[in-house]
Structures are given as structure tokens and as C-alpha cells.
Amino acid sequence: MEFKRISSQKISEKVEEQIVRLIKEGSYKQGDKLPSVRELCESLDVGRSAVRDALTTLKGRGLVEIRQGEGAFVTGFNPKRYFKHMLMPNQKEIESLFQVREILEASIVKLAAVNRSENDLMAMRKALNHMSVCKYDESGQHDCQFHMAVANATGNPILHQLLESISSSMEKSMADFHRLIASEPELIHDIHHQHESIMEMIICEDASGAYEAMMLHLSYVKKQMRKGFSIRSEYIQTH
């Protein structure tokens, strides 16, 4: 396991590249402690500031965890780190996140139709039953549980984590949207019917049909979401 000496141009970036290379090559695995700042300085023949800057960047990318008094450790891939800064996104960011969600769920639902198990279907049905009994609670909790169950049915934990991260980032800003739905029986009926259609296609292992049902649902949700933003904007202007 050897580090290569590097030129003085963009030193911290080159330090970062070498650490990433060693992680990719498997020299350092998840949970492993990286050499100390002093050891990295000596191995790479660079200054302490370059090493610290590189480690700070790697921490921001979610590749390294810095523990006070212990050092830097290699972390596993966690999509949540890429969204945690968006604690309360604005309308434009919500629109962008929703666009990502559309792209993601289009793939998720097709995979779910192919890979779903009976346990996955039970989880979907449980979420739908809760929505039916609660008549759609304002938090949107059971709605989210349904979509998470679909994501889990793909058998791909990264897809599940990505959707969970996006949903969590949108949660607070979507409060008006969920309240709007909870207040209108027609919207509750429409969304419940759309979820039922998605599940029916997944039960039938119809990937194409599941995709169409999901995109129809998300298009409807986007329309109502924008309506929720409009209501909030009008309220702010008149108070």
C-alpha cells in the first residue's frame, strides 16, 4: 500500500484523489481508520493544510467520517448525507427534488413489479389500509410508507435510501400539500385509487403498467403540490 508523491498544483485535490483511489482499490475499507494527518503529510510530501482540506472535502462527500480525538474513518455509501443540508428547501428546490423523485420512482416501480415478494405486497397493503382507516392523515405518513414499501420491493437498498432521503428532505415543505389532501375527500379518493392501481400492476408483475400508473399518480401529486404552494403564497400575501 503506497502513496504516490504529487506536484504542488491543486495539492488538496490531488490528496483527495489519492485517498479516494485507495478506497476504491480496497486498500481502505468501510470502518478502516486512515493514516493520521502527520502520516499522510509524510507519505504524500505535502503540508498539513492540504491534508486537512482534502479530509474536509471527503467528509462533505460522505466518504470519510472525522471523529474528534480519534482520526478519520472510511464510511459506507449513505445517500442521506447528500440531502441533509436541505432541511427546509424552498419551492424551486422542492420542484427539483420532485423531478428527481419522478425519475427515481419510474425505475423503482418497474423493478418492484419484477422483484416483489409476498411480504412486500403485505407491506403495501398495510399502508393502504392505514390510509383508508385514517382517511389520509395530515402528516402523509402512510402515503410515504406505501412508496417506501414499493421501493423496498425492488430489492435494491440504495434505491430505498435515495427515495427515503428525498422524501425526508421534502417532508416539512410539503406540509401544506398534505393538509390540502386531508381536507378534501375527493383528493383522498383519487390518491387512494391511484395507489391501488399501482399495487394492482405490481401484483400482476406488469412493469409497464406499474410505470404508467406511477407516472399518472406523480403527475396528479405535482399538480396538487403546486396548488398547495399557491394557497400558501396567497395566505402570506394577505396576512
Side-chain angles (χ1 to χ4, degrees), residues 175-184 187 224 227-228 231:
D176 292 329
F177 163 69
H178 290 303
R179 280 194 290 271
L180 173 65
I181 294 174
S183 67
E184 298 190 22
L187 297 183
Q224 300 307 323
K227 183 178 178 181
I231 290 173

Side-chain angles (χ1 to χ4, degrees), residues 29 52 64 71 82 97 102 115 125 133 158 161 192 195 199 203 206:
K29 298 180 176 61
R52 289 198 182 104
V64 165
Y82 295 91
L97 281 169
E102 286 179 302
N115 297 333
R125 176 55 62 192
V133 171
I158 301 298
Q161 289 177 40
H192 191 73
H195 284 155
M199 183 171 174
I203 290 172
D206 184 345

Side-chain angles (χ1 to χ4, degrees), residues 120-130 196 199 203:
D120 293 322
L121 295 177
M122 286 175 61
M124 293 177 212
R125 176 55 62 192
K126 182 178 179 180
L128 288 181
N129 287 341
H130 278 307
E196 289 277 7
M199 183 171 174
I203 290 172

Side-chain angles (χ1 to χ4, degrees), residues 1-230:
M1 191 191 312
E2 293 184 358
F3 288 95
K4 300 175 182 178
R5 292 186 181 275
I6 57 182
S7 65
S8 59
Q9 187 177 12
K10 297 183 179 179
I11 296 176
S12 64
E13 291 181 9
K14 291 185 178 295
V15 172
E16 179 189 342
E17 287 174 4
Q18 291 220 38
I19 295 174
V20 170
R21 174 179 60 81
L22 290 173
I23 292 173
K24 287 182 177 180
E25 290 175 354
S27 297
Y28 292 101
K29 298 180 176 61
Q30 181 177 348
D32 286 350
K33 181 180 178 180
L34 292 175
S36 67
V37 172
R38 179 181 59 80
E39 291 170 328
L40 287 170
C41 288
E42 292 176 356
S43 298
L44 296 164
D45 193 23
V46 297
R48 296 176 72 87
S49 62
V51 171
R52 289 198 182 104
D53 287 347
L55 291 175
T56 299
T57 301
L58 290 171
K59 178 184 176 183
R61 292 174 60 184
L63 295 175
V64 165
E65 176 187 2
I66 299 176
R67 302 175 191 170
Q68 191 67 32
E70 296 184 54
F73 294 79
V74 178
T75 61
F77 176 71
N78 185 351
K80 292 181 181 180
R81 293 189 179 94
Y82 295 91
F83 296 98
K84 69 179 182 180
H85 68 288
M86 300 183 73
L87 296 178
M88 190 64 176
N90 56 36
Q91 182 175 350
K92 184 177 180 180
E93 289 172 331
I94 284 290
E95 290 271 2
S96 296
L97 281 169
F98 196 84
Q99 187 176 55
V100 174
R101 179 182 166 185
E102 286 179 302
I103 295 169
L104 194 60
E105 291 213 67
S107 297
I108 282 174
V109 75
K110 288 191 286 187
L111 274 177
V114 175
N115 297 333
R116 93 292 187 279
S117 67
E118 288 303 316
N119 286 338
D120 293 322
L121 295 177
M122 286 175 61
M124 293 177 212
R125 176 55 62 192
K126 182 178 179 180
L128 288 181
N129 287 341
H130 278 307
M131 272 190 280
S132 179
V133 171
C134 298
K135 300 301 182 184
Y136 199 98
D137 64 305
E138 291 188 5
S139 69
Q141 175 186 357
H142 302 307
D143 188 321
C144 183
Q145 286 175 352
F146 174 79
H147 286 271
M148 288 301 108
V150 174
N152 195 57
T154 65
N156 186 323
I158 301 298
L159 287 174
H160 185 277
Q161 289 177 40
L162 281 168
L163 183 59
E164 183 180 38
S165 299
I166 292 171
S167 297
S168 295
S169 297
M170 296 173 69
E171 184 178 2
K172 291 182 181 178
S173 294
M174 293 286 282
D176 292 329
F177 163 69
H178 290 303
R179 280 194 290 271
L180 173 65
I181 294 174
S183 67
E184 298 190 22
E186 183 179 349
L187 297 183
I188 296 173
H189 175 270
D190 288 347
I191 286 181
H192 191 73
H193 177 70
Q194 290 161 16
H195 284 155
E196 289 277 7
S197 298
I198 293 168
M199 183 171 174
E200 184 61 34
M201 293 299 102
I202 293 174
I203 290 172
C204 296
E205 300 179 289
D206 184 345
S208 178
Y211 168 83
E212 291 180 8
M214 178 63 79
M215 296 312 292
L216 179 66
H217 168 61
L218 292 177
S219 176
Y220 183 88
V221 169
K222 183 191 290 184
K223 178 181 177 181
Q224 300 307 323
M225 179 183 73
R226 287 172 174 165
K227 183 178 178 181
F229 278 129
S230 176

